[in-house]
Amino acid sequence: MSGMRKEVWYLPWRSMVAKAIEQAFDWGATTIILVGVKGEIEGNYATTNEWPVLITDLQEAFKQSRIHGRWETIEECRIGIDRLPSKLQDAKGDVYVVIASAPSQHFKTVKTMCKGNRNCMQAYSRVDDVSGLIGEMDGLSMSGLATAGPHARSSALPAATASVPPAA
């Protein structure tokens, strides 16, 4: 699982999730529901493997006070797309839902479900998001992601340096 941290998109994505969590706390969240939308086991390398690594990294970042807020107020879960509407019903008042992971085949559905709800934050990575741009700016090849998306195996990409995001 630690190999996940070497994926070129992982560090920017992890930072995006951490920032969404901090933003929810800044907006007054007393509860954050951190959601990973599950995909099929086969063909969804990243969504299957990124979740446990992300949770470990976030917990460590909270222990080191690198993310502002309290880990104890975060509920984390992985669910099927059919269960997402019931989770989003809770996204109101001081409860926020941060969707940190989703397979590419569900991106449109997730976006539609969250539309217009400020308490629903989308922090999953897409092939056409800034994660790819950062890799390209650093001279890294993103060709393995162009057709498969960031949630496909891309072990041919150069390794990134693993570190916990710095405090803001």
Side-chain angles (χ1 to χ4, degrees):
M1 275 191 246
S2 62
M4 186 61 57
R5 290 182 188 94
K6 294 178 182 176
E7 299 291 348
V8 71
W9 52 265
Y10 180 80
L11 297 177
W13 167 69
R14 182 184 66 188
S15 294
M16 184 169 50
V17 173
K19 189 60 188 164
I21 290 169
E22 282 191 330
Q23 186 67 59
F25 281 126
D26 288 348
W27 286 347
T30 59
T31 301
I32 296 173
I33 304 169
L34 187 63
V35 175
V37 177
K38 293 167 75 171
E40 300 295 322
I41 292 175
E42 296 297 321
N44 286 294
Y45 165 76
T47 51
T48 301
N49 294 293
E50 68 194 6
W51 189 258
V53 178
L54 175 68
I55 297 304
T56 298
D57 289 355
L58 291 175
Q59 288 173 338
E60 185 60 31
F62 273 95
K63 285 179 194 174
Q64 295 180 22
S65 299
R66 292 179 179 229
I67 299 176
H68 304 287
R70 292 184 41 236
W71 176 255
E72 297 77 24
T73 62
I74 297 177
E75 301 171 9
E76 77 262 12
C77 62
R78 289 193 69 222
I79 59 173
I81 191 69
D82 57 322
R83 300 278 302 134
L84 187 57
S86 66
K87 286 289 177 195
L88 294 179
Q89 288 178 0
D90 293 331
K92 58 187 174 209
D94 59 1
V95 177
Y96 287 74
V97 173
V98 175
I99 302 171
S101 177
S104 58
Q105 68 264 30
H106 296 312
F107 288 171
K108 266 188 178 177
T109 303
V110 171
K111 185 173 184 139
T112 300
M113 288 181 185
C114 291
K115 190 172 185 166
N117 185 346
R118 187 187 115 172
N119 289 37
C120 177
M121 303 169 113
Q122 300 164 67
Y124 48 85
S125 186
R126 304 179 327 268
V127 72
D128 62 344
D129 71 11
V130 72
S131 301
L133 176 63
I134 291 169
E136 290 167 6
M137 291 178 354
D138 289 340
L140 304 175
S141 169
M142 299 303 286
S143 60
L145 300 180
T147 57
H151 289 86
R153 189 166 193 49
S154 57
S155 59
L157 296 174
T161 305
S163 65
V164 178

